Amino acid sequence: MKRFMHIALQDKQSLFSLFTGLVVTLIGASAMSQGHNGAGLMMVGASILSLAGFSLAASLHRTKHAVSPTGSMTKLLKPKEA
């Protein structure tokens, strides 16, 4: 979770998308609570949130794989002592 927050703060576009999706979803929910048709806004907000979540998950996956092979590579490249 700590790494997810770090990547979310680094990736400003995904952070902005999460905020925008949350605001659009809340506007749709408040419209529905007042009797208006806000289902479309809620669907758009949920779509924005899911796309931003997938983007952050891909960034997290990419950094995880970019960091992990270096540890195993140093073991392979280390000279063996006789």
Side-chain angles (χ1 to χ4, degrees):
M1 186 68 178
K2 194 174 194 178
R3 189 171 12 157
F4 181 78
M5 289 302 294
H6 179 70
I7 290 175
L9 291 175
Q10 275 185 334
D11 192 4
K12 303 290 186 208
Q13 184 176 1
S14 292
L15 188 63
F16 179 73
S17 296
L18 283 173
F19 178 74
T20 304
L22 184 64
V23 168
V24 170
T25 304
L26 288 175
I27 290 172
S30 67
M32 286 182 71
S33 70
Q34 293 179 1
H36 300 288
N37 188 9
L41 280 175
M42 288 188 63
M43 298 227 349
V44 168
S47 299
I48 293 171
L49 284 172
S50 65
L51 288 174
F54 285 137
S55 174
L56 285 172
S59 295
L60 183 66
H61 184 72
R62 186 173 44 243
T63 58
K64 183 178 179 182
H65 283 291
V67 173
S68 65
T70 58
S72 62
M73 290 302 288
T74 56
K75 290 178 187 175
L76 292 173
L77 296 176
K78 187 182 272 187
K80 295 183 179 180
E81 295 179 19

